[in-house]
Amino acid sequence: MAAERTAKRRRLSPPGDAVPGFAQWNIEQDYESRPRKDKKDKKSDKLLVKTAEGWKENERLKKVVLEDDDADSFLASDDDAGDSGVADVESRSPAKSVLPPKEQIRQAKEELARVAGNISENPEENVGQLGVLADLAKSGNVTVKKLALGTMLAVYKDIIPGYRVRPQSKEDMAAKVSKEVRKLRDFEHGLLTGYKEYVKMLGKLVGDKEMVAVAIACTTALLTAVPHFNCRNDLIVIVVKKLGSRGISPEARKCAEALEQLFRDDEEGHASLEAVSQLTKTMKSKNYQVHENVLNTFLHLRLLDEFAHKASTNRIDRENRHGDDEPARKVSKKERVFRTKRERKVMKERKVVAKELQEADAVVSYEDRDKNQAETLKLVFVAYFRILKARVQHLMGAVLEGLAKYSHLINQEFFGDVLEVLKDLITEAEAALQPDSEDEDEEDEMEIDAAAERNVTREALLCVITAFALLQGQVDVAKSAAGLSLDLQFFITHLYRTLLPLALNTDIELSAKSAHLLDPNGLATPTAKDTKVNVATTTVLLLRSLHSVLLPPTATKSVPPVRIAAFAKQLMSASLHLPQKSTIAVLGLLREVTKTHSGKVAALWNTEERRGNGVFDAKGSAVESSNPFAATVWEGELLKLHFDPRVREGVKGVEGNVVIKHER
């Protein structure tokens, strides 16, 4: 008989344990007897999602939270497992947050791409995920933060609608609307909330040295891409604040370029008015110690070409469509077209519908545009005139260039004030360049250095251009210049006296932006000034001034023969000393002058017809007393021997006009 096989007994207690009893080691029974935790009542601080029924938890995130809670509760329930289990949990928990920077960047890129794709694919359903991007933008990793800001910029530019969102009130939120309207309102509310937080974040990051470049790039991109949307004024404040310093940085230059593009693309004028208002307030608070690029942005306003009225610092001159003194006449009852009550009601309803359609289609209202541009123009003139009166030296060139551009929009009442300020500027420039030789000290040297830094020669030429542009831009004023006592003789005399000194200026073919060529001997250091407006060379400014004096748009009889002859003689003498390109340009101007006024200056080229007696005074203080007809233009014979064939052809063209007109 075979022996019975004994059953193998399983050991349930750990070896070496002195504690008897099987029930104490029944782990399953101990866990089973513990009370359950209601997972539904557990609160989560994770992101909420806005739905039609209200704010609810994100199901995907809630699932992850519950799974984490299961793991934590299971580990926490095993209190009798020993110290080894607790040590294992403590060793694994910090490993989740400690990741190499490269791994953090990789995971952040994947998460950003996934969330951005979901939002772009269906913005109305996934607008709540904008908070995920905002959380990533608050990361401690600088690279992750930059990536998150750039991703949010691309997402907002993609999903922002073409209209301005009206903030919803409590009544709007509680109102009963259709499902589609409620869905649209929830999307707009979530979008506007996230966008406001994003703009606030950009405003704070501008002060961070590591994030300032990315913050400015995002701000300028939003300002130029979606200027119609909400928070536009907040973006303008960020940009203008960066421009409120004397120096110019790459970020400030980018802000100036963004404002220029905003001014060029603004059709309604609202954005331009807000930006100009912020700029003028900032410049005044900084006592106008800002870079000239800030003022140069005014030259890109659309009102330069679109605005058709005159303005000053306090009012706008608007045209009266019904006559000079007649008010708008009401239509009498006899002239009215008879309409029944029903027809009048239908017309009224049609007007209301047309107005709503116009607002929906974002049609530009010309009346609103003119109103905005008029207010903008007044702010610009206030800034220009305050800078002129305060004599802010480093901004004089930009202000004079701006006044020359806006001269056709200046009110007639301010002509006299502007001309007086321009005269004072020219007088100060002459005094700065001509110190007393007998009493020369350190103060005089400092004044000369300051004048050289200001480039008073360019400022004086800009003053002359501005003075003549005031009259040339307005025909009615040009016809009655004598009646308004607008004497421009001071500017003409100054221009005449500066012709010969300008011919000896070595920088006449350089602009304020041009840099000097390197000295082959290494004695001079290159200098360059960063500006976008004063790009015209001194020669170009001189030619513009001469063209205004010698070839005005009015009748040719308005220019006296003595003035034309004196300038022609001086220009021919200056051509002997000017560089090649400047000589060609001056001869081209003289060719136009001789073609228009040949009968007035023919005596300078024909010795038999000399009218004057005495000697020509080339350095005279007045044009009329220089006695130009006592001289002869002998400089043409030397210019015919010039090495450049274009100069020789230019001289022949000038003499040809005089000879042909004289023979006729």
Side-chain angles (χ1 to χ4, degrees), residues 215-233:
I216 291 297
C218 296
T219 303
T220 53
L222 287 176
L223 185 60
T224 55
V226 287
H228 63 279
F229 199 61
N230 303 61
C231 303
R232 177 181 60 200
N233 193 42

Side-chain angles (χ1 to χ4, degrees), residues 360-400:
D361 295 338
V363 177
V364 179
S365 174
Y366 292 101
E367 295 181 358
D368 293 341
R369 187 189 67 179
D370 289 346
K371 182 179 179 181
N372 294 328
Q373 289 182 350
E375 295 297 327
T376 304
L377 186 60
K378 288 196 294 186
L379 292 175
V380 171
F381 284 162
V382 167
Y384 280 161
F385 294 148
R386 283 179 177 174
I387 293 174
L388 286 176
K389 292 182 179 179
R391 298 294 193 272
V392 184
Q393 306 298 345
H394 68 284
L395 296 180
M396 285 299 175
V399 171
L400 293 173

Side-chain angles (χ1 to χ4, degrees), residues 80-104:
D80 300 331
D83 296 339
S84 61
V86 176
D88 183 56
V89 174
E90 293 178 354
S91 62
R92 283 183 294 166
S93 58
K96 294 182 180 180
S97 59
V98 179
L99 292 175
K102 292 184 179 180
E103 183 65 19
Q104 294 180 12

Side-chain angles (χ1 to χ4, degrees), residues 98-117:
V98 179
L99 292 175
K102 292 184 179 180
E103 183 65 19
Q104 294 180 12
I105 296 173
R106 187 189 65 80
Q107 292 183 3
K109 287 182 178 180
E110 294 179 356
E111 184 70 8
L112 290 171
R114 183 185 64 79
V115 175

Side-chain angles (χ1 to χ4, degrees), residues 336 394 444 535 562:
R336 292 179 184 176
H394 68 284
D444 294 332
V535 295
V562 177

Side-chain angles (χ1 to χ4, degrees), residues 310 381 385 403-412 414-420 422 463-478 486 488 491 548:
K310 312 297 181 185
F381 284 162
F385 294 148
L403 284 176
K405 295 282 187 180
Y406 283 96
S407 59
H408 63 287
L409 299 175
I410 297 178
N411 193 310
Q412 298 180 13
F414 275 82
F415 281 4
D417 297 338
V418 175
L419 292 180
E420 289 298 326
L422 296 179
C463 288
V464 176
I465 294 172
T466 304
F468 279 91
L470 290 175
L471 296 180
Q472 294 177 3
Q474 308 183 37
V475 179
D476 54 341
V477 179
L486 299 179
L488 301 179
F491 302 96
S548 301

